[in-house]
Amino acid sequence: MNCQDINQLFDANAEDLPRAQRDVIDRHLASCHACSEDWANWREIASVSIPATPVALRARIAAALPVQRDVPARRAFRPFVVGGLLLVGAALAASVALKLAQPPAAPALAQSLPPTAPAGRGGGESAISRPSAVPGLPAESSTKDAGVEVPMDAHRIVVLKRPETAADALAIAIATQCHDAIVRRLRGVAGLKVTADSAVSPYEGNSGVTRLAPGVARFTLPPADREIARKLGAANVVVVSTENGCHVTEFNGQTGGIVTGAMSGSLNPPADGWDSFAVMLAQKIGDMTLKDLPTVVEEAKAVVLNTALSERERTEALWKIDSSAFDKEVVGAAAQIGTKSANADVRGSVWAVLRGVDDQSLIQPLLQALANDPDASVRMQAALTLNTFLDRPGVHEALQRAAAEDPSKEPEVPCCILSVRDAAERASIADKDFRGWVLRTLLDESLPARSRLLSLQGFSPDQRFMSLTTADFGTEAAGVVFAIGRNEKDPRVRRMAWNALWRAKPDEAFLPVLLSDLNGHPDEYVRAEAAKVLARYTGNTEVRAALQQALNDASMAVRRAATP
């Protein structure tokens, strides 16, 4: 995940998020000054009042629904609600400014939660007066015996909200709004059977599931949640966590394994709340649940080839096609969009999705984009994709020329996004030479500190990951990174150093500086990155005490990093 991808989310273009980088969004946000400033700005915007629910709304909605069996009265099921989101005018540095209501106290909410919208077509329970019973189970068995099991249904999904241990009221409110939008859109997918909210709560009472340690919600389905899926007969579980705003992961309810392709996340909601994000996610989950992969791919190809559809729709469909499944016709259609579109976001997305597609017909359009496209982000994507053709005539030379001459010398965001020159230089390095190049760059004192650290940040725009482990570079490289961080006054670069250092073998000599940063650095993300490194020194009494104290830090990022 890089800043360009996150900016697309801010602009309500979540469908353009590269699937290969979803699992590194948290690393990016922890190290990126500009994106973290957007997050801080958003948190500081004044709250607004929650509008009162019209008195007759409940009756009007109930009257519009088909008559069904009587159900128990709806019970309150979450301690926080989200206030209205108001667009406040001019955009912030890279995102839409939003106002989010501060959640009121939990006891008052238990008495005043308004009824929610009716359920959609997805087969889920009514959202107006959701029964404690689970759809498909006898009503009397659901409330009396939460241990009753039903046969697994491949089309049933359980949606769970799982805040982190470090999450505060605002973080829970944000994730709650995201959760509600996702549930609403999943219920609109014909054929899906969605169980959420109060229909899950009888099964959570004895599960011991409350809050999760950082990272668990994204990569692990706890045994208690697997048990919920088993009791409900759900093939899959969708977990909505508070990590970096809203993070969504789909798990196989039986094995607990991650369902590939469904992980997604966003720091800020788009301008429409979370709706466009939820639409994108519901479509993915619906496709993976209700269709087999060949069907999804063939439908995506048909969309790409349909010139009556918008360029954005056709480009979005490209992301559903694996690089090995591109045929000549689809490659040609994609190259035409990338060459002809007037929208820079669309052009850049096309060149990004074609990364790894080894079709010689792409070389000339990519070279033309690298040399002539007026948008730097498009040239950057073209450069990275040209790495696939590094051994073809003229490609290496074109990349070297761009690395030396492109007008984009500096990136828009210092920490992690690549300038065109950065991307072209990186792309000009063959896989067999890449590790050596990263090490040489780190050790080259003539380069700016940011350039030396850039390839060790835990993200990869071209799927070539490199981390600062002893196996990769040895202790000398770790010492170099520490020296850069210790001497760096720019907090953006300082936290880049600590972000790289936490993967290295612990060295007691680093402790005084790291403890000083954790205890008193004014930049919350420098403190958070220091906490991440220090978490590897928990055998040290002073470190344990500092991490314990950091659990009270005003910054959620610091609390998250310090959580055991």
Side-chain angles (χ1 to χ4, degrees), residues 341-354:
S341 176
N343 188 316
D345 289 341
V346 168
R347 298 196 305 274
S349 188
V350 168
W351 301 139
V353 76
L354 289 171

Side-chain angles (χ1 to χ4, degrees), residues 357-544:
V357 177
D358 192 358
D359 187 309
Q360 198 162 277
S361 66
L362 290 173
I363 296 176
Q364 286 307 313
L366 286 167
L367 288 173
Q368 179 181 347
L370 176 62
N372 300 317
D373 197 286
D375 190 275
S377 65
V378 178
R379 300 198 303 277
M380 176 192 71
Q381 297 290 4
L384 292 169
T385 301
L386 278 166
N387 175 261
T388 303
F389 309 101
L390 199 55
D391 59 345
R392 312 298 167 84
V395 172
H396 187 264
E397 292 77 8
L399 289 169
Q400 288 187 316
R401 185 163 54 251
E405 301 175 3
D406 192 276
S408 173
K409 298 179 182 179
E410 298 295 332
E412 296 177 4
V413 180
C415 80
C416 36
I417 195 169
L418 301 177
S419 68
V420 179
R421 292 194 182 194
D422 289 334
E425 182 179 7
R426 182 183 180 99
S428 70
I429 307 301
D431 288 348
K432 64 182 179 62
D433 302 321
F434 186 70
R435 178 186 177 280
W437 174 75
V438 172
L439 180 57
R440 288 194 305 274
T441 301
L442 173 64
L443 300 178
D444 189 347
E445 296 182 0
S446 68
L447 296 174
R450 174 195 168 274
S451 298
R452 299 168 68 186
L453 297 170
L454 190 59
S455 293
L456 296 170
Q457 294 306 295
F459 70 91
S460 171
D462 55 8
Q463 289 71 63
R464 295 193 289 183
F465 293 91
M466 194 63 62
S467 63
L468 190 63
T469 63
T470 301
D472 284 337
F473 297 129
T475 57
E476 178 191 2
V480 171
V481 170
F482 174 73
I484 293 173
R486 178 187 57 199
N487 296 322
E488 186 57 55
K489 301 303 181 184
D490 185 339
R492 297 170 296 185
V493 180
R494 192 177 184 97
R495 61 183 185 241
M496 286 177 70
W498 301 157
N499 181 55
L501 193 63
W502 79 270
R503 299 173 182 86
K505 182 179 179 180
D507 187 329
E508 296 284 332
F510 301 162
L511 287 181
V513 174
L514 293 169
L515 284 167
S516 176
D517 274 6
L518 174 60
N519 292 329
H521 200 284
D523 185 284
E524 64 176 309
Y525 291 101
V526 171
R527 300 199 304 274
E529 291 297 335
K532 283 170 56 179
V533 183
L534 287 167
R536 305 190 64 188
Y537 297 80
T538 50
N540 182 291
T541 303
E542 187 179 2
V543 168
R544 288 200 305 272

Side-chain angles (χ1 to χ4, degrees), residues 49-103:
S49 300
I50 301 174
T53 303
V55 175
L57 178 62
R58 187 187 189 98
R60 292 204 308 270
I61 297 176
L65 293 175
V67 178
Q68 297 185 12
R69 73 181 191 278
D70 290 338
V71 295
R74 180 181 187 272
R75 69 191 192 97
F77 57 89
R78 57 178 175 262
F80 302 101
V81 293
V82 179
L85 287 171
L86 300 180
L87 199 60
V88 296
L92 295 172
S95 66
V96 176
L98 297 174
K99 287 189 177 181
L100 185 65
Q102 193 71 10

